Amino acid sequence: MYFYIIISSLFSILLLNLEYGNFLKQIIPIILIFTVNFVIIENGDHRNIFRLYVKFAYFSAIFGIIQVMLSFVGINILIKIPGRLDSISYEPSHYASILMPALIFTFFHFKEYKKYFLVMMLALILTFNLTGWMVFILVISFAYINPIYYLFSIPVVYYLVFYVLPNFNANFNMRIVDTLAVFRGNIQVLSSSVNANGTTISLYSNLMVAEENVKNNFLTGAGLGGHEETYFRFYKGSIFTLNYYYGLNSKSGHSLTIRILSEFGLLGFILYVAALVRRLIFLDNGIYRSISFGCFSHFLCKTFKLGAFIDYGTPFFFAMLFINFREFKRSRP
């Protein structure tokens, strides 16, 4: 994996005439942090290590619930938006990516983790985060590969997104309406005068850069760390540079999926998706299956938001997914 990232990135840097600095700032911590996670998990019982993470997630959910309750009486402890749970993370949507693997795991082991599941589900509710709910419904439906679940989940997600949440509060309404408008062709949000929400502008502006990088080098993209430089190159001289949100998430590409498409091209994107899906375990009803779908949910969360390679447990869940699959194969007769 490291060899492919280095070779493909150096090729992209030379082809697109990019600087080496961003590549070096990314590859060094990636190698160190991912390697440490693989070594620690390999040298222990990965199942017990994952259970330990679930316990930490449970305590973080309790902290978050207390955090929200105190915010209602004017006591704000490490909380960005009073009344919305973000616990140990920067904002509610970020916390969903930390919590979701544990929530999925306890769903599959409800009898053993009933208290954990209920507390963490309450925490997810108090985030008021659309991404978390969509991911939870999609992963559970995908895990069972049953048309009945899809017949249930697709209408539920559609109804939530287009009918319930737009009328829930002004924040949800702006995010959904603006995002729909953008993907229907209204790109006025990138002008300097339109006051759209930051999530929509970040998503669309970074997606446009990824598309341009694929056009310029469809095979390997802009290389590791190349998204940020190509972002400012792409918008140079445009009216978007006057927008308040110009440069938002330019380092991370808004989401990990957009970033991988942008920095590793179509080939890297296909390898990434294939690596994740291939390590999902359907043939087991025990802990291997629940760990695999729990880890997968983290990356599905990061498809909607968060693009860094080493934040919010991404190296841990990546290593856990791979090692869990390997141990499952070894355990089979």
Short mmCIF file of all heavy atoms in Angstrom, two decimals, residues 214-237:
data_model
loop_
_atom_site.label_atom_id
_atom_site.label_comp_id
_atom_site.label_asym_id
_atom_site.label_seq_id
_atom_site.Cartn_x
_atom_site.Cartn_y
_atom_site.Cartn_z
N VAL A 214 -9.10 14.50 -12.09
CA VAL A 214 -9.33 13.27 -12.83
C VAL A 214 -9.23 13.52 -14.34
O VAL A 214 -8.69 12.70 -15.09
CB VAL A 214 -10.70 12.66 -12.47
CG1 VAL A 214 -11.04 11.49 -13.41
CG2 VAL A 214 -10.71 12.18 -11.03
N LYS A 215 -9.72 14.68 -14.79
CA LYS A 215 -9.61 15.02 -16.21
C LYS A 215 -8.14 15.18 -16.62
O LYS A 215 -7.74 14.76 -17.70
CB LYS A 215 -10.36 16.33 -16.49
CG LYS A 215 -11.87 16.20 -16.46
CD LYS A 215 -12.52 17.55 -16.73
CE LYS A 215 -14.04 17.45 -16.68
NZ LYS A 215 -14.68 18.77 -16.90
N ASN A 216 -7.36 15.80 -15.73
CA ASN A 216 -5.95 16.05 -16.04
C ASN A 216 -5.09 14.79 -15.94
O ASN A 216 -4.08 14.66 -16.64
CB ASN A 216 -5.38 17.13 -15.12
CG ASN A 216 -6.00 18.49 -15.39
OD1 ASN A 216 -6.44 18.78 -16.51
ND2 ASN A 216 -6.05 19.33 -14.37
N ASN A 217 -5.47 13.89 -15.03
CA ASN A 217 -4.73 12.64 -14.86
C ASN A 217 -5.69 11.60 -14.30
O ASN A 217 -5.77 11.40 -13.10
CB ASN A 217 -3.54 12.85 -13.91
CG ASN A 217 -2.75 11.58 -13.68
OD1 ASN A 217 -2.87 10.61 -14.42
ND2 ASN A 217 -1.93 11.57 -12.64
N PHE A 218 -6.44 10.97 -15.21
CA PHE A 218 -7.52 10.08 -14.77
C PHE A 218 -7.00 8.85 -14.03
O PHE A 218 -7.68 8.26 -13.22
CB PHE A 218 -8.37 9.65 -15.96
CG PHE A 218 -7.72 8.61 -16.84
CD1 PHE A 218 -7.97 7.26 -16.64
CD2 PHE A 218 -6.86 8.99 -17.86
CE1 PHE A 218 -7.37 6.30 -17.44
CE2 PHE A 218 -6.26 8.03 -18.66
CZ PHE A 218 -6.51 6.70 -18.46
N LEU A 219 -5.74 8.46 -14.30
CA LEU A 219 -5.23 7.22 -13.73
C LEU A 219 -4.88 7.36 -12.26
O LEU A 219 -5.34 6.57 -11.42
CB LEU A 219 -4.00 6.76 -14.52
CG LEU A 219 -3.51 5.33 -14.23
CD1 LEU A 219 -4.58 4.33 -14.63
CD2 LEU A 219 -2.21 5.07 -14.98
N THR A 220 -4.06 8.36 -11.89
CA THR A 220 -3.57 8.49 -10.52
C THR A 220 -3.84 9.86 -9.88
O THR A 220 -3.35 10.14 -8.80
CB THR A 220 -2.06 8.21 -10.45
OG1 THR A 220 -1.37 9.14 -11.31
CG2 THR A 220 -1.75 6.79 -10.89
N GLY A 221 -4.65 10.70 -10.50
CA GLY A 221 -5.04 11.95 -9.89
C GLY A 221 -3.89 12.92 -9.64
O GLY A 221 -2.91 12.95 -10.39
N ALA A 222 -4.01 13.70 -8.57
CA ALA A 222 -3.01 14.73 -8.26
C ALA A 222 -1.94 14.24 -7.29
O ALA A 222 -1.05 15.00 -6.93
CB ALA A 222 -3.71 15.96 -7.67
N GLY A 223 -2.02 13.00 -6.83
CA GLY A 223 -1.04 12.49 -5.89
C GLY A 223 -1.36 12.88 -4.46
O GLY A 223 -2.08 13.85 -4.20
N LEU A 224 -0.83 12.12 -3.52
CA LEU A 224 -1.07 12.38 -2.11
C LEU A 224 -0.68 13.81 -1.74
O LEU A 224 0.44 14.25 -2.01
CB LEU A 224 -0.27 11.39 -1.26
CG LEU A 224 -0.40 11.53 0.26
CD1 LEU A 224 -1.83 11.24 0.69
CD2 LEU A 224 0.57 10.60 0.97
N GLY A 225 -1.61 14.54 -1.14
CA GLY A 225 -1.36 15.93 -0.76
C GLY A 225 -1.55 16.92 -1.88
O GLY A 225 -1.41 18.13 -1.67
N GLY A 226 -1.88 16.44 -3.07
CA GLY A 226 -1.98 17.33 -4.23
C GLY A 226 -3.28 18.08 -4.34
O GLY A 226 -3.37 19.06 -5.09
N HIS A 227 -4.31 17.66 -3.63
CA HIS A 227 -5.61 18.31 -3.74
C HIS A 227 -5.54 19.79 -3.35
O HIS A 227 -6.13 20.63 -4.03
CB HIS A 227 -6.65 17.59 -2.88
CG HIS A 227 -8.03 18.19 -2.99
ND1 HIS A 227 -8.91 17.83 -3.98
CD2 HIS A 227 -8.65 19.14 -2.24
CE1 HIS A 227 -10.03 18.53 -3.82
NE2 HIS A 227 -9.90 19.31 -2.78
N GLU A 228 -4.84 20.07 -2.27
CA GLU A 228 -4.79 21.46 -1.79
C GLU A 228 -4.17 22.39 -2.83
O GLU A 228 -4.71 23.48 -3.11
CB GLU A 228 -4.00 21.54 -0.49
CG GLU A 228 -3.94 22.95 0.09
CD GLU A 228 -3.15 23.02 1.37
OE1 GLU A 228 -2.42 22.05 1.70
OE2 GLU A 228 -3.25 24.07 2.06
N GLU A 229 -3.05 21.98 -3.41
CA GLU A 229 -2.39 22.84 -4.40
C GLU A 229 -3.24 23.01 -5.65
O GLU A 229 -3.35 24.12 -6.19
CB GLU A 229 -1.03 22.25 -4.77
CG GLU A 229 -0.21 23.14 -5.69
CD GLU A 229 1.19 22.60 -5.95
OE1 GLU A 229 1.61 21.67 -5.23
OE2 GLU A 229 1.86 23.13 -6.86
N THR A 230 -3.87 21.94 -6.11
CA THR A 230 -4.69 22.03 -7.30
C THR A 230 -5.97 22.81 -7.04
O THR A 230 -6.54 23.41 -7.96
CB THR A 230 -5.04 20.64 -7.84
OG1 THR A 230 -5.64 19.84 -6.80
CG2 THR A 230 -3.79 19.93 -8.35
N TYR A 231 -6.44 22.82 -5.80
CA TYR A 231 -7.62 23.60 -5.42
C TYR A 231 -7.37 25.08 -5.70
O TYR A 231 -8.17 25.74 -6.38
CB TYR A 231 -7.92 23.38 -3.93
CG TYR A 231 -9.11 24.15 -3.39
CD1 TYR A 231 -10.35 23.53 -3.22
CD2 TYR A 231 -9.00 25.49 -3.00
CE1 TYR A 231 -11.44 24.22 -2.70
CE2 TYR A 231 -10.08 26.19 -2.49
CZ TYR A 231 -11.30 25.55 -2.34
OH TYR A 231 -12.37 26.24 -1.83
N PHE A 232 -6.27 25.61 -5.18
CA PHE A 232 -5.98 27.03 -5.36
C PHE A 232 -5.58 27.34 -6.81
O PHE A 232 -5.82 28.45 -7.30
CB PHE A 232 -4.89 27.47 -4.38
CG PHE A 232 -5.35 27.44 -2.95
CD1 PHE A 232 -4.92 26.44 -2.08
CD2 PHE A 232 -6.23 28.38 -2.47
CE1 PHE A 232 -5.36 26.40 -0.77
CE2 PHE A 232 -6.68 28.36 -1.15
CZ PHE A 232 -6.25 27.35 -0.30
N ARG A 233 -5.01 26.39 -7.48
CA ARG A 233 -4.68 26.56 -8.89
C ARG A 233 -5.96 26.64 -9.73
O ARG A 233 -6.08 27.44 -10.66
CB ARG A 233 -3.79 25.42 -9.38
CG ARG A 233 -3.40 25.49 -10.84
CD ARG A 233 -2.67 24.23 -11.28
NE ARG A 233 -1.36 24.10 -10.65
CZ ARG A 233 -0.50 23.11 -10.93
NH1 ARG A 233 -0.83 22.19 -11.82
NH2 ARG A 233 0.67 23.05 -10.32
N PHE A 234 -6.93 25.79 -9.40
CA PHE A 234 -8.19 25.70 -10.16
C PHE A 234 -9.02 26.98 -10.03
O PHE A 234 -9.60 27.45 -11.02
CB PHE A 234 -8.99 24.50 -9.66
CG PHE A 234 -10.31 24.30 -10.36
CD1 PHE A 234 -10.35 23.83 -11.67
CD2 PHE A 234 -11.51 24.56 -9.70
CE1 PHE A 234 -11.57 23.64 -12.32
CE2 PHE A 234 -12.72 24.36 -10.34
CZ PHE A 234 -12.76 23.90 -11.65
N TYR A 235 -9.08 27.56 -8.83
CA TYR A 235 -9.94 28.72 -8.60
C TYR A 235 -9.20 30.06 -8.73
O TYR A 235 -9.81 31.12 -8.53
CB TYR A 235 -10.60 28.63 -7.22
CG TYR A 235 -11.65 27.55 -7.14
CD1 TYR A 235 -11.45 26.43 -6.32
CD2 TYR A 235 -12.81 27.63 -7.88
CE1 TYR A 235 -12.41 25.43 -6.25
CE2 TYR A 235 -13.78 26.63 -7.81
CZ TYR A 235 -13.57 25.54 -7.00
OH TYR A 235 -14.52 24.55 -6.94
N LYS A 236 -7.95 30.02 -9.05
CA LYS A 236 -7.17 31.25 -9.18
C LYS A 236 -7.82 32.19 -10.20
O LYS A 236 -8.09 31.81 -11.34
CB LYS A 236 -5.73 30.93 -9.60
CG LYS A 236 -4.83 32.16 -9.66
CD LYS A 236 -3.40 31.76 -10.03
CE LYS A 236 -2.50 32.99 -10.08
NZ LYS A 236 -1.10 32.61 -10.44
N GLY A 237 -8.07 33.43 -9.78
CA GLY A 237 -8.64 34.44 -10.67
C GLY A 237 -10.14 34.40 -10.80
O GLY A 237 -10.73 35.26 -11.47
#
